[in-house]
Every structure is written in C-alpha cells, then in structure tokens.
Amino acid sequence: MDKKEFKVTPYEVSGDVDYDKLIKEFGVTKIDEKLIARIKKHAKEVHPMLSRGVFFAHRDMNWLLDEYEKGNKFFLYTGRGPSGKIQLGHLQTWHFTKWLQDKFGVELWFQFTDDEKFLFKDKSYEEIQQWTKDNMLDVIAVGFDPKKTHFLIDTKHAGLMYPEAIKFAKKITYSTVKAAFGFNDSMNIGSIFYTSMQAVPAILPSVLKGKNIPCLIPLAIDQDPHFRVARDVYPKLNYYKPSIIHGMFLPPLTGTEGKMSSSEESSAIFSTDSPKEVENKIKKYAFSGGKDTLEEHRKLGGNPDIDVSFQYLRMFFEPDDKRLKKIHDDYKSGKLLSGELKAILIEKVNSFLAEHQKNREKAKKQIDKFIFKLT
Ligand code: TRP
C-alpha cells in the first residue's frame, strides 16, 4: 500500500490514517476550542482525550448542547461487536463514554451486536454467545452506573428491535450499503441488513417513552459509516438524527498504521493480560521512536510522534499534562531512553489493568442488573 493510502470502514482499518482527510471524506466536523469550552461549561472540566484531540470530530454536537441547555437531556449510545477479547482501544472509548455519563448524568444504552459478528466472522453462533457474556464483564468493569445503563443484545432483544429495524431497512438501498461499506455481490444477505439493527438503539428510548429524546453516540470513527447511512432515515421516521463524537484509533503495538485489533495477537494488549504478558508485549513489540544506539539516542533524541509507548501515554494512560510534557521533552532531548519510556508505560498499563481485572471479577455477579428489561 502507498504511504498516502489508507482505508477506514467498519470492517477494515488499514494504512496510515490521515484524520484531516477523513473529516472531509466522511463530512464530519472537527472539534474546535469553542465546542470544548461549551462542553466544559457543563462538565466543569475537560477530559484529556478532548483537550489532546483524541476525540477530534463530531456531528451535530452544538445542536445537542442547545437542546441540553433548554432542559432536553440526551442519552448516550455505544456498542460492541462481541467476537473476541476486549483490548485497550475499546476500553479507551468506553472510559471516555463513562466520563460523559458521569459529567452529564445521563443514561447509556449499550448494544451487543452478536448478530453482526455471527454474520461477518467465521465463528459459530455458540462462540459468539460466549464472547457476548465475556465482553459484558469488561463493559461493566469500566464502572458505568448500573441504574442508568442498559444492555441490549441484538438476538435477545430482537422482539423489541426488529419492528424498528425493518423501518430503517425499507429506506436504505442495497447500492447505498454497497458504496458505504465496500461490499460486493458475494456478501451474505444478513450483512446487508445489519446496519438497520445498529441504527435502532439511537431511537429505542424515544420509542419506549413515546417522545423524541436526543442521542449522543461516542465511537471510534470506523463506525461512522453505519450512521452516515442511517442518519438520512431518522427524520423520515420522525426522529432526531443522533449526534456523534468521533475518536481516533489507539495504534497497534507494532506501529502507527491501522488500529489495535483483537484479531492480531501481537498488535494488542487485552483486558485479561497478566502483568508479565503486558511487560513482554511492550518490550518485544511496542514500536519505538528511539535511536538505534545509546550514543545516537543521547545525542539526537527520540521521536515521540511515532513512538507507540508515548502515544499510549498521550491518548490514554497519562492524564497529567505536566508529566506528559516532561516525558515528551526528555525523550526528544535524549535524556529518556526507549527502555525507560517503555517501563513508564508498563507500570501505567499494569496498574490500570489490576483495577480493571478486579472490577471484572466483581462484574460476574452484576450482569443481570445491566441487561435491559421491559417493566
Ligand atoms: N458495530 C460495532 C462493532 O463492531 C458495535 C456497535 C453497535 C457500536 N452499535 C454501536 C459501536 C454504536 C459504536 C457505536 O464493534
């Protein structure tokens, strides 16, 4: 692949993603200081993922805040396709989502798309059900408020969702889906229908309450095409278009191209990795922006922009701006060595995962509280 070429769809992320180009291609809006100040007015603080541009683009956030300021509260909606282990990239988006839930005091609807993963992956229905249960533990472990968080499982809540899904399906053509996702004629027919299921949670609370409620969807930008397709349909069904806030991808361990992915062992750190596994993976695979020899590194310094360990600290694990800047400057000047930078990251990730894994154990008793039930 050419250096300038990259691809971002829900089913493939590859190459060196040019986010400015993506903003134009997808027709989303870059988050500016004015919008950040508006969010801060309500949240009373700015999340580092916002101030550092990790969540970098949006659709209709200003409209959402207009409504919020009029007393028309929104709800959050995000989801997970349960086909394997949870890795740090997922947890990054969900921790930001939890921050939004806490700061705005809003409900979260969380969709588990077991139908999607069965249709798209070469895995059995039974295996996908196992991953659904497994992945729920990680979502719960993030710390969402059980009173305000509702899990939807596509095959289990089908009776609730299907009547709405067909209303979307009727207004989306095969050629639209083909163009948006790069599908060809040999795709199975379930995968062509799937976007209509992903569209539904953005209106389900409105359907249940019998009145329109604004919706905000935090997601990694590869999921945007589903909503780009569906957003035209919402008003035709007399609902609001959902607002969206888009995050960048946590890079794979091995370099800054593509995204961290559960299907590639050496690219990812998983939520269940042991401290030793984390240490080994970072030491062995984390792409370094350091120089080849100690003398060279001391003299010329490292490049934090391409250094995966530094990027993980910036995008997730070092919220303190002052400390991050010191690491950045010391690495660039050659004072901090690659091995030392990796050691900082290993410590951070392991203390984060120790907490996550403790919560994940406790979550085993909490699943039932989170699954949505009609009362
Ligand atoms: N399709 C997503 C995945 O493969 C899961 C998902 C469903 C989702 N609804 C969503 C992601 C809303 C973000 C926002 O993981």
Side-chain angles (χ1 to χ4, degrees), residues 81-110:
S83 60
K85 293 181 199 171
I86 295 303
Q87 38 86 357
L88 297 179
H90 303 124
L91 295 176
Q92 179 206 29
T93 312
W94 301 341
H95 273 268
F96 182 69
T97 305
K98 172 179 157 51
W99 180 80
L100 290 170
Q101 177 174 63
D102 290 347
K103 295 299 156 182
F104 288 89
V106 291
E107 298 214 343
L108 166 65
W109 288 75
F110 198 107

PDB file of all heavy atoms in Angstrom, residues 81-110:
ATOM      1  N   GLY A  81     -19.198  -5.238  19.133  1.00  0.00           N
ATOM      2  CA  GLY A  81     -19.420  -6.465  18.381  1.00  0.00           C
ATOM      3  C   GLY A  81     -18.613  -7.577  19.031  1.00  0.00           C
ATOM      4  O   GLY A  81     -17.392  -7.601  18.946  1.00  0.00           O
ATOM      5  N   PRO A  82     -19.291  -8.496  19.741  1.00  0.00           N
ATOM      6  CA  PRO A  82     -18.564  -9.458  20.579  1.00  0.00           C
ATOM      7  C   PRO A  82     -17.997 -10.647  19.797  1.00  0.00           C
ATOM      8  O   PRO A  82     -18.637 -11.684  19.696  1.00  0.00           O
ATOM      9  CB  PRO A  82     -19.635  -9.930  21.570  1.00  0.00           C
ATOM     10  CG  PRO A  82     -20.921  -9.779  20.821  1.00  0.00           C
ATOM     11  CD  PRO A  82     -20.752  -8.650  19.846  1.00  0.00           C
ATOM     12  N   SER A  83     -16.781 -10.491  19.285  1.00  0.00           N
ATOM     13  CA  SER A  83     -16.184 -11.587  18.514  1.00  0.00           C
ATOM     14  C   SER A  83     -14.849 -12.039  19.074  1.00  0.00           C
ATOM     15  O   SER A  83     -14.196 -12.912  18.519  1.00  0.00           O
ATOM     16  CB  SER A  83     -15.999 -11.140  17.062  1.00  0.00           C
ATOM     17  OG  SER A  83     -15.148 -10.019  17.026  1.00  0.00           O
ATOM     18  N   GLY A  84     -14.414 -11.440  20.175  1.00  0.00           N
ATOM     19  CA  GLY A  84     -13.119 -11.824  20.744  1.00  0.00           C
ATOM     20  C   GLY A  84     -12.860 -11.019  21.996  1.00  0.00           C
ATOM     21  O   GLY A  84     -13.765 -10.373  22.535  1.00  0.00           O
ATOM     22  N   LYS A  85     -11.589 -11.082  22.434  1.00  0.00           N
ATOM     23  CA  LYS A  85     -11.240 -10.392  23.677  1.00  0.00           C
ATOM     24  C   LYS A  85     -11.318  -8.876  23.542  1.00  0.00           C
ATOM     25  O   LYS A  85     -11.133  -8.333  22.443  1.00  0.00           O
ATOM     26  CB  LYS A  85      -9.798 -10.742  24.057  1.00  0.00           C
ATOM     27  CG  LYS A  85      -9.573 -12.181  24.435  1.00  0.00           C
ATOM     28  CD  LYS A  85      -8.100 -12.334  24.816  1.00  0.00           C
ATOM     29  CE  LYS A  85      -7.648 -13.788  24.760  1.00  0.00           C
ATOM     30  NZ  LYS A  85      -6.193 -13.890  24.924  1.00  0.00           N
ATOM     31  N   ILE A  86     -11.516  -8.232  24.661  1.00  0.00           N
ATOM     32  CA  ILE A  86     -11.501  -6.763  24.714  1.00  0.00           C
ATOM     33  C   ILE A  86     -10.053  -6.295  24.840  1.00  0.00           C
ATOM     34  O   ILE A  86      -9.268  -6.869  25.590  1.00  0.00           O
ATOM     35  CB  ILE A  86     -12.335  -6.280  25.924  1.00  0.00           C
ATOM     36  CG1 ILE A  86     -13.808  -6.652  25.724  1.00  0.00           C
ATOM     37  CG2 ILE A  86     -12.170  -4.782  26.161  1.00  0.00           C
ATOM     38  CD1 ILE A  86     -14.441  -6.119  24.457  1.00  0.00           C
ATOM     39  N   GLN A  87      -9.707  -5.269  24.063  1.00  0.00           N
ATOM     40  CA  GLN A  87      -8.341  -4.727  24.161  1.00  0.00           C
ATOM     41  C   GLN A  87      -8.375  -3.247  24.557  1.00  0.00           C
ATOM     42  O   GLN A  87      -9.454  -2.653  24.680  1.00  0.00           O
ATOM     43  CB  GLN A  87      -7.568  -4.998  22.861  1.00  0.00           C
ATOM     44  CG  GLN A  87      -8.354  -4.882  21.553  1.00  0.00           C
ATOM     45  CD  GLN A  87      -8.406  -3.493  21.014  1.00  0.00           C
ATOM     46  OE1 GLN A  87      -7.909  -2.574  21.638  1.00  0.00           O
ATOM     47  NE2 GLN A  87      -9.025  -3.342  19.859  1.00  0.00           N
ATOM     48  N   LEU A  88      -7.208  -2.675  24.737  1.00  0.00           N
ATOM     49  CA  LEU A  88      -7.123  -1.308  25.278  1.00  0.00           C
ATOM     50  C   LEU A  88      -7.854  -0.262  24.435  1.00  0.00           C
ATOM     51  O   LEU A  88      -8.364   0.715  24.969  1.00  0.00           O
ATOM     52  CB  LEU A  88      -5.655  -0.890  25.435  1.00  0.00           C
ATOM     53  CG  LEU A  88      -4.818  -1.718  26.420  1.00  0.00           C
ATOM     54  CD1 LEU A  88      -3.380  -1.208  26.451  1.00  0.00           C
ATOM     55  CD2 LEU A  88      -5.425  -1.674  27.830  1.00  0.00           C
ATOM     56  N   GLY A  89      -7.897  -0.444  23.129  1.00  0.00           N
ATOM     57  CA  GLY A  89      -8.592   0.509  22.254  1.00  0.00           C
ATOM     58  C   GLY A  89     -10.071   0.625  22.597  1.00  0.00           C
ATOM     59  O   GLY A  89     -10.648   1.709  22.596  1.00  0.00           O
ATOM     60  N   HIS A  90     -10.690  -0.536  22.889  1.00  0.00           N
ATOM     61  CA  HIS A  90     -12.107  -0.498  23.287  1.00  0.00           C
ATOM     62  C   HIS A  90     -12.264   0.250  24.606  1.00  0.00           C
ATOM     63  O   HIS A  90     -13.143   1.080  24.768  1.00  0.00           O
ATOM     64  CB  HIS A  90     -12.661  -1.915  23.476  1.00  0.00           C
ATOM     65  CG  HIS A  90     -12.516  -2.789  22.272  1.00  0.00           C
ATOM     66  ND1 HIS A  90     -11.869  -3.999  22.304  1.00  0.00           N
ATOM     67  CD2 HIS A  90     -12.921  -2.606  20.993  1.00  0.00           C
ATOM     68  CE1 HIS A  90     -11.898  -4.548  21.102  1.00  0.00           C
ATOM     69  NE2 HIS A  90     -12.530  -3.724  20.276  1.00  0.00           N
ATOM     70  N   LEU A  91     -11.388  -0.095  25.560  1.00  0.00           N
ATOM     71  CA  LEU A  91     -11.518   0.492  26.897  1.00  0.00           C
ATOM     72  C   LEU A  91     -11.330   2.002  26.857  1.00  0.00           C
ATOM     73  O   LEU A  91     -11.949   2.741  27.628  1.00  0.00           O
ATOM     74  CB  LEU A  91     -10.517  -0.163  27.856  1.00  0.00           C
ATOM     75  CG  LEU A  91     -10.781  -1.664  28.094  1.00  0.00           C
ATOM     76  CD1 LEU A  91      -9.682  -2.269  28.975  1.00  0.00           C
ATOM     77  CD2 LEU A  91     -12.145  -1.884  28.750  1.00  0.00           C
ATOM     78  N   GLN A  92     -10.490   2.452  25.935  1.00  0.00           N
ATOM     79  CA  GLN A  92     -10.260   3.894  25.794  1.00  0.00           C
ATOM     80  C   GLN A  92     -11.579   4.612  25.469  1.00  0.00           C
ATOM     81  O   GLN A  92     -11.969   5.566  26.150  1.00  0.00           O
ATOM     82  CB  GLN A  92      -9.225   4.110  24.678  1.00  0.00           C
ATOM     83  CG  GLN A  92      -8.917   5.555  24.414  1.00  0.00           C
ATOM     84  CD  GLN A  92      -8.451   5.764  22.988  1.00  0.00           C
ATOM     85  OE1 GLN A  92      -8.829   5.028  22.067  1.00  0.00           O
ATOM     86  NE2 GLN A  92      -7.619   6.757  22.798  1.00  0.00           N
ATOM     87  N   THR A  93     -12.290   4.147  24.447  1.00  0.00           N
ATOM     88  CA  THR A  93     -13.574   4.770  24.078  1.00  0.00           C
ATOM     89  C   THR A  93     -14.578   4.691  25.224  1.00  0.00           C
ATOM     90  O   THR A  93     -15.316   5.639  25.490  1.00  0.00           O
ATOM     91  CB  THR A  93     -14.193   4.057  22.853  1.00  0.00           C
ATOM     92  OG1 THR A  93     -13.186   3.925  21.857  1.00  0.00           O
ATOM     93  CG2 THR A  93     -15.364   4.825  22.289  1.00  0.00           C
ATOM     94  N   TRP A  94     -14.604   3.553  25.906  1.00  0.00           N
ATOM     95  CA  TRP A  94     -15.618   3.381  26.955  1.00  0.00           C
ATOM     96  C   TRP A  94     -15.316   4.224  28.183  1.00  0.00           C
ATOM     97  O   TRP A  94     -16.236   4.676  28.869  1.00  0.00           O
ATOM     98  CB  TRP A  94     -15.766   1.897  27.312  1.00  0.00           C
ATOM     99  CG  TRP A  94     -16.167   1.071  26.119  1.00  0.00           C
ATOM    100  CD1 TRP A  94     -16.731   1.538  24.953  1.00  0.00           C
ATOM    101  CD2 TRP A  94     -16.010  -0.330  25.946  1.00  0.00           C
ATOM    102  NE1 TRP A  94     -16.938   0.496  24.077  1.00  0.00           N
ATOM    103  CE2 TRP A  94     -16.501  -0.660  24.662  1.00  0.00           C
ATOM    104  CE3 TRP A  94     -15.508  -1.355  26.748  1.00  0.00           C
ATOM    105  CZ2 TRP A  94     -16.510  -1.958  24.165  1.00  0.00           C
ATOM    106  CZ3 TRP A  94     -15.514  -2.649  26.262  1.00  0.00           C
ATOM    107  CH2 TRP A  94     -16.014  -2.953  24.985  1.00  0.00           C
ATOM    108  N   HIS A  95     -14.037   4.435  28.484  1.00  0.00           N
ATOM    109  CA  HIS A  95     -13.721   5.311  29.625  1.00  0.00           C
ATOM    110  C   HIS A  95     -14.143   6.748  29.323  1.00  0.00           C
ATOM    111  O   HIS A  95     -14.615   7.465  30.204  1.00  0.00           O
ATOM    112  CB  HIS A  95     -12.243   5.216  30.005  1.00  0.00           C
ATOM    113  CG  HIS A  95     -11.991   4.093  30.970  1.00  0.00           C
ATOM    114  ND1 HIS A  95     -12.006   4.254  32.341  1.00  0.00           N
ATOM    115  CD2 HIS A  95     -11.784   2.768  30.748  1.00  0.00           C
ATOM    116  CE1 HIS A  95     -11.805   3.075  32.929  1.00  0.00           C
ATOM    117  NE2 HIS A  95     -11.666   2.160  31.980  1.00  0.00           N
ATOM    118  N   PHE A  96     -13.984   7.155  28.086  1.00  0.00           N
ATOM    119  CA  PHE A  96     -14.472   8.487  27.705  1.00  0.00           C
ATOM    120  C   PHE A  96     -16.007   8.543  27.801  1.00  0.00           C
ATOM    121  O   PHE A  96     -16.585   9.525  28.270  1.00  0.00           O
ATOM    122  CB  PHE A  96     -13.998   8.844  26.290  1.00  0.00           C
ATOM    123  CG  PHE A  96     -14.416  10.213  25.860  1.00  0.00           C
ATOM    124  CD1 PHE A  96     -13.874  11.351  26.459  1.00  0.00           C
ATOM    125  CD2 PHE A  96     -15.372  10.395  24.856  1.00  0.00           C
ATOM    126  CE1 PHE A  96     -14.273  12.630  26.084  1.00  0.00           C
ATOM    127  CE2 PHE A  96     -15.773  11.667  24.472  1.00  0.00           C
ATOM    128  CZ  PHE A  96     -15.223  12.788  25.081  1.00  0.00           C
ATOM    129  N   THR A  97     -16.660   7.476  27.386  1.00  0.00           N
ATOM    130  CA  THR A  97     -18.117   7.393  27.482  1.00  0.00           C
ATOM    131  C   THR A  97     -18.577   7.467  28.939  1.00  0.00           C
ATOM    132  O   THR A  97     -19.554   8.154  29.263  1.00  0.00           O
ATOM    133  CB  THR A  97     -18.622   6.084  26.828  1.00  0.00           C
ATOM    134  OG1 THR A  97     -18.139   6.035  25.484  1.00  0.00           O
ATOM    135  CG2 THR A  97     -20.138   6.001  26.819  1.00  0.00           C
ATOM    136  N   LYS A  98     -17.846   6.791  29.822  1.00  0.00           N
ATOM    137  CA  LYS A  98     -18.187   6.851  31.247  1.00  0.00           C
ATOM    138  C   LYS A  98     -18.040   8.280  31.782  1.00  0.00           C
ATOM    139  O   LYS A  98     -18.867   8.751  32.563  1.00  0.00           O
ATOM    140  CB  LYS A  98     -17.308   5.907  32.068  1.00  0.00           C
ATOM    141  CG  LYS A  98     -17.519   6.088  33.572  1.00  0.00           C
ATOM    142  CD  LYS A  98     -16.682   5.160  34.412  1.00  0.00           C
ATOM    143  CE  LYS A  98     -16.442   5.667  35.830  1.00  0.00           C
ATOM    144  NZ  LYS A  98     -17.647   6.084  36.574  1.00  0.00           N
ATOM    145  N   TRP A  99     -17.000   8.957  31.325  1.00  0.00           N
ATOM    146  CA  TRP A  99     -16.820  10.358  31.743  1.00  0.00           C
ATOM    147  C   TRP A  99     -18.041  11.188  31.324  1.00  0.00           C
ATOM    148  O   TRP A  99     -18.575  11.967  32.115  1.00  0.00           O
ATOM    149  CB  TRP A  99     -15.523  10.914  31.120  1.00  0.00           C
ATOM    150  CG  TRP A  99     -15.228  12.340  31.475  1.00  0.00           C
ATOM    151  CD1 TRP A  99     -14.660  12.785  32.643  1.00  0.00           C
ATOM    152  CD2 TRP A  99     -15.483  13.511  30.672  1.00  0.00           C
ATOM    153  NE1 TRP A  99     -14.548  14.156  32.599  1.00  0.00           N
ATOM    154  CE2 TRP A  99     -15.039  14.632  31.417  1.00  0.00           C
ATOM    155  CE3 TRP A  99     -16.040  13.713  29.408  1.00  0.00           C
ATOM    156  CZ2 TRP A  99     -15.136  15.938  30.932  1.00  0.00           C
ATOM    157  CZ3 TRP A  99     -16.132  15.009  28.927  1.00  0.00           C
ATOM    158  CH2 TRP A  99     -15.693  16.108  29.694  1.00  0.00           C
ATOM    159  N   LEU A 100     -18.498  10.987  30.096  1.00  0.00           N
ATOM    160  CA  LEU A 100     -19.692  11.719  29.635  1.00  0.00           C
ATOM    161  C   LEU A 100     -20.904  11.368  30.494  1.00  0.00           C
ATOM    162  O   LEU A 100     -21.681  12.244  30.876  1.00  0.00           O
ATOM    163  CB  LEU A 100     -19.982  11.403  28.164  1.00  0.00           C
ATOM    164  CG  LEU A 100     -19.004  11.955  27.116  1.00  0.00           C
ATOM    165  CD1 LEU A 100     -19.297  11.341  25.740  1.00  0.00           C
ATOM    166  CD2 LEU A 100     -19.079  13.480  27.031  1.00  0.00           C
ATOM    167  N   GLN A 101     -21.057  10.077  30.809  1.00  0.00           N
ATOM    168  CA  GLN A 101     -22.199   9.678  31.648  1.00  0.00           C
ATOM    169  C   GLN A 101     -22.138  10.366  33.007  1.00  0.00           C
ATOM    170  O   GLN A 101     -23.128  10.911  33.485  1.00  0.00           O
ATOM    171  CB  GLN A 101     -22.231   8.155  31.838  1.00  0.00           C
ATOM    172  CG  GLN A 101     -23.369   7.724  32.768  1.00  0.00           C
ATOM    173  CD  GLN A 101     -23.533   6.210  32.877  1.00  0.00           C
ATOM    174  OE1 GLN A 101     -22.642   5.503  33.344  1.00  0.00           O
ATOM    175  NE2 GLN A 101     -24.685   5.720  32.440  1.00  0.00           N
ATOM    176  N   ASP A 102     -20.949  10.351  33.619  1.00  0.00           N
ATOM    177  CA  ASP A 102     -20.791  10.951  34.947  1.00  0.00           C
ATOM    178  C   ASP A 102     -21.029  12.460  34.914  1.00  0.00           C
ATOM    179  O   ASP A 102     -21.733  13.004  35.751  1.00  0.00           O
ATOM    180  CB  ASP A 102     -19.375  10.691  35.499  1.00  0.00           C
ATOM    181  CG  ASP A 102     -19.166   9.224  35.846  1.00  0.00           C
ATOM    182  OD1 ASP A 102     -20.179   8.483  35.901  1.00  0.00           O
ATOM    183  OD2 ASP A 102     -18.010   8.822  36.050  1.00  0.00           O
ATOM    184  N   LYS A 103     -20.414  13.123  33.948  1.00  0.00           N
ATOM    185  CA  LYS A 103     -20.462  14.590  33.928  1.00  0.00           C
ATOM    186  C   LYS A 103     -21.835  15.127  33.549  1.00  0.00           C
ATOM    187  O   LYS A 103     -22.244  16.186  34.007  1.00  0.00           O
ATOM    188  CB  LYS A 103     -19.405  15.152  32.963  1.00  0.00           C
ATOM    189  CG  LYS A 103     -17.974  14.869  33.382  1.00  0.00           C
ATOM    190  CD  LYS A 103     -17.692  15.502  34.731  1.00  0.00           C
ATOM    191  CE  LYS A 103     -16.544  14.784  35.425  1.00  0.00           C
ATOM    192  NZ  LYS A 103     -16.269  15.330  36.753  1.00  0.00           N
ATOM    193  N   PHE A 104     -22.537  14.437  32.667  1.00  0.00           N
ATOM    194  CA  PHE A 104     -23.848  14.928  32.235  1.00  0.00           C
ATOM    195  C   PHE A 104     -25.000  14.214  32.951  1.00  0.00           C
ATOM    196  O   PHE A 104     -26.160  14.574  32.755  1.00  0.00           O
ATOM    197  CB  PHE A 104     -23.988  14.817  30.713  1.00  0.00           C
ATOM    198  CG  PHE A 104     -23.156  15.831  29.966  1.00  0.00           C
ATOM    199  CD1 PHE A 104     -21.838  15.545  29.613  1.00  0.00           C
ATOM    200  CD2 PHE A 104     -23.659  17.096  29.655  1.00  0.00           C
ATOM    201  CE1 PHE A 104     -21.054  16.484  28.948  1.00  0.00           C
ATOM    202  CE2 PHE A 104     -22.886  18.047  28.986  1.00  0.00           C
ATOM    203  CZ  PHE A 104     -21.574  17.736  28.641  1.00  0.00           C
ATOM    204  N   GLY A 105     -24.654  13.204  33.744  1.00  0.00           N
ATOM    205  CA  GLY A 105     -25.686  12.485  34.494  1.00  0.00           C
ATOM    206  C   GLY A 105     -26.731  11.841  33.598  1.00  0.00           C
ATOM    207  O   GLY A 105     -27.933  11.926  33.871  1.00  0.00           O
ATOM    208  N   VAL A 106     -26.277  11.186  32.531  1.00  0.00           N
ATOM    209  CA  VAL A 106     -27.239  10.683  31.544  1.00  0.00           C
ATOM    210  C   VAL A 106     -27.222   9.154  31.440  1.00  0.00           C
ATOM    211  O   VAL A 106     -26.293   8.480  31.891  1.00  0.00           O
ATOM    212  CB  VAL A 106     -26.967  11.284  30.138  1.00  0.00           C
ATOM    213  CG1 VAL A 106     -27.298  12.773  30.135  1.00  0.00           C
ATOM    214  CG2 VAL A 106     -25.533  11.036  29.694  1.00  0.00           C
ATOM    215  N   GLU A 107     -28.266   8.625  30.821  1.00  0.00           N
ATOM    216  CA  GLU A 107     -28.377   7.190  30.588  1.00  0.00           C
ATOM    217  C   GLU A 107     -27.459   6.754  29.456  1.00  0.00           C
ATOM    218  O   GLU A 107     -27.163   7.528  28.550  1.00  0.00           O
ATOM    219  CB  GLU A 107     -29.814   6.840  30.185  1.00  0.00           C
ATOM    220  CG  GLU A 107     -30.821   7.152  31.249  1.00  0.00           C
ATOM    221  CD  GLU A 107     -31.966   6.152  31.260  1.00  0.00           C
ATOM    222  OE1 GLU A 107     -32.161   5.426  30.269  1.00  0.00           O
ATOM    223  OE2 GLU A 107     -32.670   6.100  32.290  1.00  0.00           O
ATOM    224  N   LEU A 108     -27.051   5.491  29.527  1.00  0.00           N
ATOM    225  CA  LEU A 108     -26.275   4.892  28.435  1.00  0.00           C
ATOM    226  C   LEU A 108     -26.989   3.623  27.966  1.00  0.00           C
ATOM    227  O   LEU A 108     -27.319   2.756  28.771  1.00  0.00           O
ATOM    228  CB  LEU A 108     -24.859   4.529  28.926  1.00  0.00           C
ATOM    229  CG  LEU A 108     -24.050   3.590  28.016  1.00  0.00           C
ATOM    230  CD1 LEU A 108     -23.740   4.248  26.669  1.00  0.00           C
ATOM    231  CD2 LEU A 108     -22.752   3.143  28.700  1.00  0.00           C
ATOM    232  N   TRP A 109     -27.205   3.553  26.664  1.00  0.00           N
ATOM    233  CA  TRP A 109     -27.702   2.317  26.053  1.00  0.00           C
ATOM    234  C   TRP A 109     -26.527   1.684  25.336  1.00  0.00           C
ATOM    235  O   TRP A 109     -25.881   2.331  24.509  1.00  0.00           O
ATOM    236  CB  TRP A 109     -28.867   2.619  25.099  1.00  0.00           C
ATOM    237  CG  TRP A 109     -30.082   3.001  25.878  1.00  0.00           C
ATOM    238  CD1 TRP A 109     -30.306   4.192  26.513  1.00  0.00           C
ATOM    239  CD2 TRP A 109     -31.214   2.167  26.160  1.00  0.00           C
ATOM    240  NE1 TRP A 109     -31.516   4.157  27.171  1.00  0.00           N
ATOM    241  CE2 TRP A 109     -32.097   2.934  26.966  1.00  0.00           C
ATOM    242  CE3 TRP A 109     -31.584   0.859  25.806  1.00  0.00           C
ATOM    243  CZ2 TRP A 109     -33.318   2.421  27.422  1.00  0.00           C
ATOM    244  CZ3 TRP A 109     -32.801   0.364  26.257  1.00  0.00           C
ATOM    245  CH2 TRP A 109     -33.651   1.140  27.055  1.00  0.00           C
ATOM    246  N   PHE A 110     -26.258   0.421  25.679  1.00  0.00           N
ATOM    247  CA  PHE A 110     -25.074  -0.260  25.146  1.00  0.00           C
ATOM    248  C   PHE A 110     -25.514  -1.501  24.375  1.00  0.00           C
ATOM    249  O   PHE A 110     -26.120  -2.415  24.939  1.00  0.00           O
ATOM    250  CB  PHE A 110     -24.132  -0.632  26.306  1.00  0.00           C
ATOM    251  CG  PHE A 110     -22.729  -0.932  25.845  1.00  0.00           C
ATOM    252  CD1 PHE A 110     -21.696  -0.032  26.078  1.00  0.00           C
ATOM    253  CD2 PHE A 110     -22.456  -2.107  25.138  1.00  0.00           C
ATOM    254  CE1 PHE A 110     -20.409  -0.297  25.635  1.00  0.00           C
ATOM    255  CE2 PHE A 110     -21.168  -2.371  24.683  1.00  0.00           C
ATOM    256  CZ  PHE A 110     -20.142  -1.469  24.940  1.00  0.00           C
TER     257      PHE A 110
END
